[in-house]
Amino acid sequence: MPDTFKSDFFTLLDLDKNSAFEELFDEFWQPLYRRAYSKVQAEDLAKDLVQEVFIAFWDNLDTLKRDLNLAAYLHGILRNKILKVFEKDAVRLRYALQICPAELSSDFCAHELLLEKELKSIIDTEVNRMPSRMKEIYAMKKDSNFSIKQIAEELGLSEQTIKNQLQNAYNRLRSKLKEYNPDLIGLSIILIKVMFF
């Protein structure tokens, strides 16, 4: 990353926090996405991980030091997010292997399909309970596969507002699924990412 971007970023940050964040997003989204995809080999999950990186960055924006290496910082956040995904997957797999001997694998598959159907029903119900604007943004992202920028332009809102609404929708779904069965939250989060985002 050129030093000029870093210096421009912090100068712009003093003037307009939102514009500085948008510039940073435009500069780093693609390299972060490529890195995430190379690790998780799933397009939607990679996009979600990068979105989580920018949300974490936004949350810490006011505490950044001027000598911060932005690229290293963002890639560090991404690395931690990827490790958490792998850790959850490993825990879930170990649990599945412990409770399901080889001879019961077909029953386990049937159970997984039933669970997926049940989770989809819970998610659909929760989506219907969302406030109308959140539901509209969620549907544009999930059903029409609009980008954040496209949704913002279509609705006349800022991209940050769209990101916030999508994150709130995701948090609502995660919370509802946690209520459903706390032991299966890892699986349910993966299902949300694969099926809906």
Side-chain angles (χ1 to χ4, degrees), residues 5 10 19 24-25 41 50 58 66 71 85 103 112 130:
F5 178 84
F10 283 106
S19 294
L24 181 100
F25 184 89
Q41 296 295 306
V50 174
W58 176 264
R66 297 287 166 157
V85 168
E103 62 267 24
E112 289 293 292
M130 288 178 184

Side-chain angles (χ1 to χ4, degrees), residues 115-131 134-136 138-139 142-143 169 172-174 176-177 180 188 191-192 195-197:
L115 175 64
E116 183 178 327
K117 187 175 179 182
E118 199 167 341
L119 289 175
K120 186 180 182 315
S121 170
I122 291 166
I123 288 167
D124 289 344
T125 300
E126 186 57 28
V127 167
N128 287 330
R129 291 182 180 153
M130 288 178 184
M134 182 186 293
K135 184 177 176 182
E136 179 181 20
Y138 174 84
K142 178 183 85 77
D143 299 333
R172 284 176 69 120
L173 293 174
R174 183 169 54 184
K176 182 54 71 177
L177 291 169
Y180 167 70
S188 61
L191 285 171
I192 287 174
M195 296 189 306
F196 298 97
F197 283 93

Side-chain angles (χ1 to χ4, degrees), residues 69-87:
N69 180 328
L70 293 169
Y73 183 73
L74 291 167
H75 281 276
I77 296 172
L78 178 61
R79 183 188 66 240
N80 292 336
K81 301 279 182 196
I82 290 169
L83 288 173
K84 283 182 184 175
V85 168
F86 289 157
E87 183 178 77

Side-chain angles (χ1 to χ4, degrees), residues 27-177:
E27 179 78 12
F28 287 103
W29 190 92
Q30 196 63 38
L32 288 169
Y33 171 76
R34 282 195 303 266
R35 177 76 175 171
Y37 184 80
S38 75
K39 296 296 182 185
V40 299
Q41 296 295 306
E43 188 176 309
D44 289 340
L45 180 54
K47 287 178 183 175
D48 287 339
L49 287 168
V50 174
Q51 179 180 325
E52 289 175 23
V53 167
F54 284 110
I55 289 168
F57 184 87
W58 176 264
D59 289 342
N60 294 303
L61 199 53
D62 296 327
T63 63
L64 298 179
K65 295 182 179 173
R66 297 287 166 157
D67 59 349
L68 178 71
N69 180 328
L70 293 169
Y73 183 73
L74 291 167
H75 281 276
I77 296 172
L78 178 61
R79 183 188 66 240
N80 292 336
K81 301 279 182 196
I82 290 169
L83 288 173
K84 283 182 184 175
V85 168
F86 289 157
E87 183 178 77
K88 284 177 185 173
D89 283 351
V91 168
R92 203 174 87 246
L93 180 59
R94 279 198 304 273
Y95 175 73
L97 292 174
Q98 285 173 354
I99 64 166
C100 294
E103 62 267 24
L104 296 180
S105 61
S106 62
D107 289 343
F108 179 70
C109 289
H111 174 72
E112 289 293 292
L113 290 172
L114 182 62
L115 175 64
E116 183 178 327
K117 187 175 179 182
E118 199 167 341
L119 289 175
K120 186 180 182 315
S121 170
I122 291 166
I123 288 167
D124 289 344
T125 300
E126 186 57 28
V127 167
N128 287 330
R129 291 182 180 153
M130 288 178 184
S132 59
R133 179 63 81 177
M134 182 186 293
K135 184 177 176 182
E136 179 181 20
I137 291 169
Y138 174 84
M140 290 174 80
K141 178 75 174 146
K142 178 183 85 77
D143 299 333
S144 304
N145 201 25
F146 279 26
S147 70
I148 288 171
K149 186 174 185 176
Q150 289 171 319
I151 298 171
E153 288 171 358
E154 184 77 20
L155 299 180
L157 299 170
S158 75
E159 289 183 32
Q160 189 57 49
T161 299
I162 302 305
K163 290 175 202 168
N164 291 344
Q165 287 289 321
L166 288 171
Q167 185 61 37
N168 289 340
Y170 172 73
N171 289 339
R172 284 176 69 120
L173 293 174
R174 183 169 54 184
S175 175
K176 182 54 71 177
L177 291 169

